[in-house]
Amino acid sequence: MVALWKIRLLWTQLILALILVAIRVLDRPEPGLNFLPPHPRPTDYDREEAIRLAFYEVLLGYGIRVDWISGDSRSKIVRIPIDLPVLEPYTELAARFRELGAQILQAESDAFDENMTLALAIEHQPFMNVVLRRDASIARTAGRIALVIDDFGYTFNSEIKNFLELKHTFTVSIIPGLQYSAAVANAAHERNRQVMIHLPMEPKNGKIDRDDYVLLTEMGENEIRDRVRRAVTAIPHAVGLNNHMGSLATENDTLLASMMAEVSKTGLFFLDSRTDPGTRAHFWAQKFGIPTAVNDVFLDAIPEAPFIRQQILYLAEIAGRRGGAIAIGHPQELTLKVLQEELPKLEKRGFRLVNVSEMMK
């Protein structure tokens, strides 16, 4: 007599086998029952659309306006502004078209590289002609952007040195009286960087080092002026200054009048960092005839890459609308990384990175 446990084991194995067979059958795709089909292979139509999209992406990336592009789906004529070499968008367009599987049937240029033509094909069938023509009557008006990087002087490590080696123009603002203040100022000057004094001023939260440079609302005129002179002496090569913190001090007319009276003797410009919306520092700089401007954007108030990128886009929008804009950032690794990625894009669109002194009125 077969033991009962053997019978149960046999039935269990039979049931498991039936389940495995059912899974294989149900898992096999059948016509009409496959709700998540695999992504189809690109068709010629998909490729055509991708090429047309790339055409506009490349040109708009150079700051070329849509109304400078004419023609139909098979023939495009692009007016290239006088401040953009025709070869730059031409080369990038050709590279993108090849990446997307188009063949270049014809690539021609005149003797001066001012008129260039690309004839494209898909699967050896003519698809689109692109003509790029220099037009001296148009120019990009993207605007000027001045970047100020604050809070130098605390250290002089590899991160600071990497910032100073950034390939794009920016102004270095250094807090006076710190261990590395003078060393950073000299290093920046050697790299043809513009140097500023990042002058500590009293904030509303009271969190500030009470050193020999900070300007406090409780001080009299002589002490304020003496501290301004001391700060100017402490930072070699400085051509201007901006406030470090100062949300309380920049609302105090008495302090600002004393401060600007002394700054007016130095020949330095003044950038209002605008750490508080109620600041009157810009007003008092103007009152004493000091070249001055106001910060528009803090790039890295939130130390996250998406936020910094969004602030750069906002900065570009201001510069494009108004002709120029100023931004302040800080010497942090993340800020440097985002600037290295985004600044070339701004320059490609026609924005010009300048020293902050060029933005002074």
Side-chain angles (χ1 to χ4, degrees):
M1 183 174 180
V2 180
L4 182 60
W5 68 269
K6 290 185 178 179
I7 296 174
R8 289 176 176 173
L9 177 62
L10 181 62
W11 274 107
T12 301
Q13 291 174 335
L14 180 60
I15 291 170
L16 287 173
L18 290 172
I19 290 173
L20 290 173
V21 170
I23 289 173
R24 289 182 179 179
V25 170
L26 291 174
D27 191 50
R28 185 180 304 149
E30 295 184 11
L33 297 178
N34 191 359
F35 295 103
L36 295 173
H39 189 72
R41 296 180 62 184
T43 64
D44 288 346
Y45 176 78
D46 296 328
R47 189 175 290 112
E48 289 178 6
E49 290 303 301
I51 290 171
R52 289 192 179 97
L53 179 60
F55 169 80
Y56 285 102
E57 284 179 346
V58 169
L59 296 178
L60 295 178
Y62 278 99
I64 294 173
R65 290 165 32 181
V66 173
D67 58 326
W68 296 345
I69 303 170
S70 59
D72 54 29
S73 62
R74 295 293 177 179
S75 179
K76 302 288 189 184
I77 299 175
V78 184
R79 299 159 64 201
I80 304 298
I82 190 66
D83 61 314
L84 174 64
V86 180
L87 186 61
E88 291 185 23
Y90 174 85
T91 302
E92 187 168 343
L93 281 171
R96 288 288 300 278
F97 292 156
R98 288 192 181 97
E99 287 175 5
L100 294 169
Q103 296 95 42
I104 307 296
L105 297 180
Q106 181 182 13
E108 293 184 348
S109 170
D110 64 13
F112 302 100
D113 286 344
E114 295 195 347
N115 292 278
M116 296 186 168
T117 301
L118 285 170
L120 309 181
I122 295 178
E123 299 298 333
H124 306 290
Q125 297 298 315
F127 168 56
M128 184 168 67
N129 289 337
V130 177
V131 178
L132 308 181
R133 292 177 180 167
R134 178 179 293 280
D135 189 333
S137 68
I138 58 174
R140 295 175 296 179
T141 55
R144 297 175 300 163
I145 290 175
L147 297 179
V148 177
I149 304 300
D150 280 349
D151 292 358
F152 282 96
Y154 289 104
T155 62
F156 198 10
N157 54 19
S158 58
E159 187 173 298
I160 298 301
K161 293 175 182 177
N162 289 338
F163 233 113
L164 293 179
E165 295 297 334
L166 183 65
K167 295 180 179 179
H168 306 277
T169 300
F170 73 93
T171 299
V172 176
S173 192
I174 305 169
I175 298 175
L178 301 179
Q179 182 177 355
Y180 298 97
S181 298
V184 173
N186 288 324
H189 182 69
E190 290 171 2
R191 292 164 175 79
N192 296 316
R193 300 280 184 202
Q194 197 164 79
V195 174
M196 289 174 55
I197 302 162
H198 197 31
L199 186 63
M201 299 175 69
E202 186 176 0
K204 290 179 177 177
N205 61 20
K207 295 179 180 179
I208 193 168
D209 295 330
R210 289 177 171 262
D211 57 19
D212 294 335
Y213 299 93
V214 61
L215 303 187
L216 303 172
T217 55
E218 65 193 37
M219 292 176 177
E221 179 180 0
N222 289 338
E223 187 171 7
I224 290 171
R225 296 179 72 142
D226 180 64
R227 290 190 172 211
V228 171
R229 288 193 296 268
R230 197 176 301 163
V232 173
T233 303
I235 304 297
H237 316 295
V239 296
L241 72 159
N242 69 319
N243 54 292
H244 172 52
M245 298 188 288
S247 54
L248 182 63
T250 57
E251 291 183 349
N252 188 290
D253 288 334
T254 302
L255 182 151
L256 291 171
S258 300
M259 170 189 166
M260 296 304 175
E262 190 61 38
V263 173
S264 66
K265 296 180 177 181
T266 65
L268 303 179
F269 62 75
F270 176 76
L271 171 65
D272 187 345
S273 300
R274 201 172 64 174
T275 55
D276 188 272
T279 177
R280 291 176 57 77
H282 181 245
F283 164 80
W284 279 100
Q286 288 180 319
K287 192 173 182 65
F288 278 88
I290 299 167
T292 187
V294 180
N295 173 46
D296 295 297
V297 177
F298 279 105
L299 294 179
D300 47 11
I302 299 175
E304 296 177 1
F307 177 82
I308 298 172
R309 288 194 177 92
Q310 181 59 43
Q311 292 297 86
I312 291 173
L313 291 175
Y314 178 48
L315 175 69
E317 189 274 328
I318 295 173
R321 172 168 41 86
R322 210 173 58 196
I326 300 172
I328 290 177
H330 300 87
Q332 303 164 356
E333 183 178 356
L334 179 61
T335 301
L336 175 61
K337 181 177 182 296
V338 176
L339 289 176
Q340 288 171 330
E341 294 170 355
E342 299 301 324
L343 293 185
K345 298 177 185 177
L346 293 182
E347 291 185 320
K348 182 179 172 182
R349 288 171 56 192
F351 288 97
R352 190 163 63 91
L353 295 171
V354 301
N355 287 318
V356 72
S357 61
E358 293 191 32
M359 308 295 287
M360 295 295 136
K361 296 180 181 179

